[in-house]
Amino acid sequence: MKDISEYGALYDFEKKNEDDEIYWTEEIDKLDSHLFSFDMKTVYNLFEDYPKRLTKEQKAIFDRENPFWVKFFGL
């Protein structure tokens, strides 16, 4: 988990689906970083922060919106 200021410039935040609560973004000049945010202030790295640094509510939201990753991690 990193505050946006630690990342410097980021691409625009985007939702995969209009009704999602999670925004996805990436660091400029880096591919496949899998960064996401719930509030566009705190940014999580999928492979470093999921699920251990998410609150119970955040994990539930993430799991609901991203079944591929739940299956990928076997959770």
Side-chain angles (χ1 to χ4, degrees):
M1 168 179 62
K2 295 190 181 224
D3 187 71
I4 280 182
S5 61
E6 293 180 43
Y7 277 106
L10 296 173
Y11 289 127
D12 292 334
F13 288 93
E14 298 180 65
K15 292 184 176 185
K16 294 191 183 228
N17 299 297
E18 189 175 311
D19 58 342
D20 284 352
E21 294 182 54
I22 293 174
Y23 297 88
W24 289 89
T25 190
E26 56 190 15
E27 291 181 81
I28 292 176
D29 297 331
K30 285 192 176 181
L31 298 174
D32 298 325
S33 54
H34 296 87
L35 304 177
F36 64 95
S37 178
F38 294 90
D39 58 9
M40 295 191 291
K41 293 179 183 175
T42 303
V43 176
Y44 297 91
N45 181 303
L46 177 64
F47 291 103
E48 292 177 11
D49 300 324
Y50 176 83
K52 63 184 176 262
R53 292 195 176 134
L54 302 179
T55 66
K56 187 175 183 178
E57 180 182 62
Q58 287 172 327
K59 184 180 180 308
I61 292 167
F62 186 94
D63 291 353
R64 181 181 71 241
E65 293 181 7
N66 299 281
F68 170 83
W69 290 113
V70 175
K71 186 175 180 180
F72 177 86
F73 289 111
L75 300 173

